Amino acid sequence: MTGKDVPGLLEAQSSIPQGTRINVTFLGNEDLEMRVAAAKAVKEAGFVPVPHVSARRIASAARLEEFLAALRDVGATDHVFAVGGDPETPEGPYASSLDLIRSGLLPEYGVKEVSIAGYPEGHPDIADDVLWEHLEAKATALRDQGLDAVILTQFGFDTEPVASWIREVRARGIDAPIRIGTPGPAGIKRLLGFARRFGIGANAMIVKKYGFSLTNLMGTAGPDRFINDLGALVAADGAAGDIGIHLYTFGGLSATAEWARKFQAAA
């Protein structure tokens, strides 16, 4: 959710199991007060807030400490997501989430677990070898600080690249839980728009596996087939470890929560 989604959170509250982790984004057009208020609302609604900390949007160490202190004051620093962020030029001293983690400030403000990004289908602006180097370095830096790690991935439509990437993560000795980014139910055009924006493959074969057709873009699509197929691949891999999903609510919190409730009930 974003800082503006508190009304949507309250609307969806009864459909979301208590204790669910809900990420709160760090958008450039929202301020500290909005982000903290959203994290507080998540906490008060009985869920676990996971506020994003966008490295390249933080102007100084003092601003980072101000944000972490404000989150701590509302009980929202146990879990955070350290992410690089969009600006091409960093606004302050943190050029990457690795720089943010290496600052050593997170545990000083009560952080116990840090989510870090994974890219099963790569990143449009970052070479694969750099992505792997940073993932390994972040996992090491968190372990050295006594912090738990969770790898939260960008979303995708195809299961084979995801399964292959999971095997590579484990082969590199990284045993952190992995949460595979999965688009919740949303309009097909909207899903494809997000895919193009983030450089995710969306060719005819992939979208067919996800369960919709490029020739009919007027409807909506859900992740049922993707999750079932990925579950089968993970179950067949005895070394996959702790694997789950993270739902991106492109179609809204209520629609995603209701889909998840029905999917679980039918399982």
Side-chain angles (χ1 to χ4, degrees):
M1 62 176 285
T2 72
K4 299 176 183 177
D5 287 337
V6 173
L9 171 70
L10 298 180
E11 178 185 351
Q13 181 176 357
S14 62
S15 299
I16 304 174
Q18 291 286 286
T20 296
R21 298 186 188 194
I22 297 180
N23 284 36
V24 179
T25 58
F26 194 113
L27 300 181
N29 61 355
E30 296 180 349
D31 57 22
L32 181 148
E33 288 74 20
M34 290 181 67
R35 298 172 190 133
V36 173
K40 181 181 180 183
V42 171
K43 178 83 171 180
E44 292 179 343
F47 308 121
V48 177
V50 185
H52 292 198
V53 187
S54 181
R56 298 168 73 85
R57 292 191 184 278
I58 296 173
S60 65
R63 293 301 298 272
L64 173 59
E65 293 199 64
E66 179 186 14
F67 183 44
L68 292 173
L71 290 173
R72 182 185 58 191
D73 289 346
V74 297
T77 54
D78 280 2
H79 309 266
V80 302
F81 181 21
V83 63
D86 293 332
E88 183 176 351
T89 301
E91 297 176 14
Y94 310 112
S96 68
S97 56
L98 179 57
D99 292 338
L100 185 71
I101 291 167
R102 284 176 170 169
S103 73
L105 291 172
L106 298 180
E108 292 186 14
Y109 287 86
V111 174
K112 298 176 182 177
E113 178 190 271
V114 180
S115 296
I116 54 179
Y119 299 92
E121 296 189 55
H123 189 290
D125 300 318
I126 306 174
D128 285 349
D129 60 338
V130 175
L131 290 175
W132 285 116
E133 177 187 344
H134 274 233
L135 184 63
E136 292 178 310
K138 285 184 281 191
T140 298
L142 291 173
R143 183 175 62 248
D144 290 347
Q145 294 179 55
L147 298 173
D148 292 331
V150 173
I151 303 172
L152 195 161
T153 81
Q154 183 56 272
F155 72 90
F157 296 119
D158 196 0
T159 52
E160 279 81 1
V162 173
S164 176
W165 179 85
I166 290 171
R167 288 192 293 270
E168 180 67 17
V169 171
R170 299 312 188 207
R172 289 172 180 263
I174 302 172
D175 60 1
I178 297 173
R179 299 294 174 256
I180 300 301
T182 306
I188 294 171
K189 285 186 177 181
R190 184 173 176 83
L191 288 172
L192 293 178
F194 276 104
R196 285 190 292 268
R197 176 181 174 187
F198 293 107
I200 304 300
N203 61 39
M205 181 179 295
I206 291 175
V207 296
K208 183 178 180 181
K209 291 179 181 178
Y210 192 74
F212 57 86
S213 169
L214 286 175
T215 62
N216 179 14
L217 303 181
M218 299 307 295
T220 61
D224 306 59
R225 183 181 301 181
F226 175 85
I227 292 175
N228 287 329
D229 289 353
L230 181 62
L233 289 172
V234 169
D237 182 355
D242 184 349
I243 309 295
I245 64 168
H246 171 82
L247 288 167
Y248 287 88
T249 59
F250 298 142
L253 282 163
S254 290
T256 301
E258 185 60 20
W259 171 87
R261 185 188 65 78
K262 291 180 179 178
F263 182 82
Q264 286 185 306

